[in-house]
Amino acid sequence: MRACARRNSFPTSRSTLSCHPITAPLTISVRGQLNFSRAMLSACAGWRALSACRHAAGAVLGRSLLHGSSLAAAEEAQAAQAAASPSPGPLTDSDFDLTEDQQQFKHVAEMFAREELAPYSAEWDENHHFPVETLKKAADLGFGGMYVSEDVGGAGLGRLDAAIIFEELARGCVPTAAFLSIHNMVAAAIDRYGSSHQRGLYLPGLASMELLGSYCLTEPAAGSDAASLRTSAKRMAGGDYVLNGAKAFISGGGVSDVYLVMARTGKPGPRGISAFLLEKGMEGLSFGKREAKLGWNAQPTTAVMLDDVRVPEAMRLGQEGDGFKIAMAALDGGRINIGACSVGGAQFCLDTAREYTRARQQFGGPISAFQATLFRVADMATSIQASRLMVRHAAAALDARSPSATLECAMAKRFATDACYAVTNDALQLLGGYGYLKEYPIERYMRDLRVHCILEGTNEVMRIIINRELDKLDPK
């Protein structure tokens, strides 16, 4: 039971309830990247493996919990097994009018999450393992350069397409999906602001995830007030820059190959900040210890130290003084992605809790029939649906380059991350003692989603941005 319980039993798709045999290969072009037949075949294999795991879990539960026990103990064992193997949720993608392409993107991401992420995510969390090889498999499907142009190996997708994908990936493993978001932020910034040399040098490797990218804005003394950053970039004779300073809480630190670093080239304030591309191995570039964190244990987080790091002018991204603009543009997309990851994690927890409450018997019936449970589940489902709609609306606004896009992204991030974290807490409460055990996934999703209310701008900062953008759009 222990071995199987640690392997996340991924809920069946909300829209695909069974595995249909494939009689002929079917390849769809997701901007030349996503191989649909491969993902479907992997999914079928995954379903068979997970089915065997469930049977094994049932056998062990029967031996360990039911031997010589009462009917009540048997019911508890059944409910515990259900919690480790939830059934599908009630929603379908027809509710969102997804295009045929978007439905296919979602399906491929769901199959990848089911086969490559969910069975291993608990082990990665426990062992603090960064699954680089799995990330490369994700890149084979186009997930390493989702909105990178096709001419340099990207998938050429939109922000709404990516939000749909990130939601599904997060159902399998939240921190792995979140690292993909950060990596894609770096790749997208290079694609949008980089020179032809920079694009050709870095983007093919980032799209294939032979190169991993990290985003370096936050500093020990400059968190929410990012424009006050102190890392300096002094221009030398000949045009090179020498960077000095430190960055904090950098996902992928010490492992990633390319670091997008914001540093001060001018006066105080946002207009004095420029962006630079640094490579692992540069003289003077070093990394702190791997931080011990509450969640997100499947990706490393370290400080990044810069001690007289000499960077050629050709590795400055954009013009001098463009760094803060580049950083904020990247964060608009990152906020959508982290909101989508929250939705995916919360959906998994809701599906798990609903299955558990159906199986758990107390006071002569399933606890799913209690009015308190009904009300809680209804509120959880409503929160997830509202979050999903806000995230997708914000993604569509960013795709359309709407004047309200920054406002929409901040609203969606603030609402979705708070609401979905609350859903994980409610799911844990519904599972009772089982929810508190590491044998079952709810506590891990709760730990992983907690940081979403902090990163990509805290939710308190989101409220400031919302007010600022309202004043821009409707000045009084």
Side-chain angles (χ1 to χ4, degrees), residues 68 91 181 207 241 252 333 355 360 376:
L91 304 176
S181 168
Y241 294 84
E355 185 68 20
R360 173 70 163 160
R376 190 186 294 264

Side-chain angles (χ1 to χ4, degrees), residues 159-288:
R159 298 291 179 161
L160 177 55
D161 303 327
I164 293 163
I165 291 169
F166 281 119
E167 179 183 333
E168 292 305 317
L169 293 177
R171 294 180 73 208
C173 181
V174 171
T176 302
F179 182 81
L180 280 167
S181 168
I182 295 163
H183 172 91
N184 273 273
M185 285 171 63
V186 175
I190 296 172
D191 191 36
R192 180 174 177 182
Y193 297 102
S195 65
S196 57
H197 171 69
Q198 291 167 344
R199 294 179 72 252
L201 181 64
Y202 293 117
L203 290 178
L206 290 170
S208 67
M209 299 197 81
E210 291 300 323
L211 299 176
L212 301 181
S214 288
Y215 177 89
C216 305
L217 175 63
T218 299
E219 297 183 0
S224 294
D225 185 12
S228 69
L229 65 81
R230 298 177 183 176
T231 296
S232 64
K234 184 178 180 180
R235 190 161 192 165
M236 311 301 288
D240 288 357
Y241 294 84
V242 174
L243 273 62
N244 284 280
K247 299 294 180 178
F249 309 126
I250 304 305
S251 291
V255 179
S256 289
D257 306 282
V258 181
Y259 296 84
L260 175 56
V261 177
M262 312 305 164
R264 189 164 301 285
T265 53
K267 296 179 180 180
R271 294 184 181 180
I273 297 171
S274 301
F276 298 89
L277 297 171
L278 277 62
E279 297 178 7
K280 184 180 179 181
M282 279 183 160
E283 186 175 355
L285 176 62
S286 61
F287 308 95

Side-chain angles (χ1 to χ4, degrees), residues 283-330:
E283 186 175 355
L285 176 62
S286 61
F287 308 95
K289 66 177 179 65
R290 182 166 177 166
E291 303 288 1
K293 310 188 297 289
L294 175 70
W296 272 30
N297 291 319
Q299 55 165 281
T301 302
T302 74
V304 174
M305 280 83 78
L306 305 108
D307 184 13
D308 289 335
V309 180
R310 197 173 189 95
V311 181
E313 182 181 13
M315 291 299 99
R316 187 190 67 220
L317 187 65
Q319 300 301 310
E320 261 199 23
D322 283 350
F324 197 75
K325 176 183 72 175
I326 292 170
M328 294 302 105

Side-chain angles (χ1 to χ4, degrees), residues 174-175 178 182 249 251 293-297 299 301 338 341-342 413 417-418 421 424 444-459:
V174 171
I182 295 163
F249 309 126
S251 291
K293 310 188 297 289
L294 175 70
W296 272 30
N297 291 319
Q299 55 165 281
T301 302
I338 214 66
C341 288
S342 294
K413 192 270 182 184
T417 56
D418 279 345
Y421 174 71
T424 67
R444 173 163 41 87
Y445 279 77
M446 184 178 178
R447 288 187 286 109
D448 286 337
L449 261 63
R450 179 61 183 89
V451 75
H452 294 190
C453 304
I454 299 171
L455 53 79
E456 314 294 34
T458 67
N459 285 358

Side-chain angles (χ1 to χ4, degrees), residues 13-66:
S13 164
R14 295 182 297 278
S15 56
T16 306
L17 302 182
S18 62
C19 180
H20 301 287
I22 299 174
T23 56
L26 171 64
T27 302
I28 60 170
S29 174
V30 180
R31 312 298 191 264
Q33 296 293 319
L34 305 183
N35 189 300
F36 188 60
S37 61
R38 172 182 172 184
M40 283 288 288
L41 289 168
S42 295
C44 290
W47 275 322
R48 289 192 292 271
L50 290 169
S51 177
C53 183
R54 291 190 192 101
H55 287 306
V60 177
L61 278 167
R63 289 192 298 271
S64 62
L65 295 178
L66 301 184

Side-chain angles (χ1 to χ4, degrees), residues 54 104 129 146 211 214 242 317 361 363 386 401 412 416 425 441:
R54 291 190 192 101
Q104 291 171 342
H129 174 69
M146 293 191 204
L211 299 176
S214 288
V242 174
L317 187 65
Q361 298 282 322
F363 303 104
R401 299 190 178 182
N425 190 38

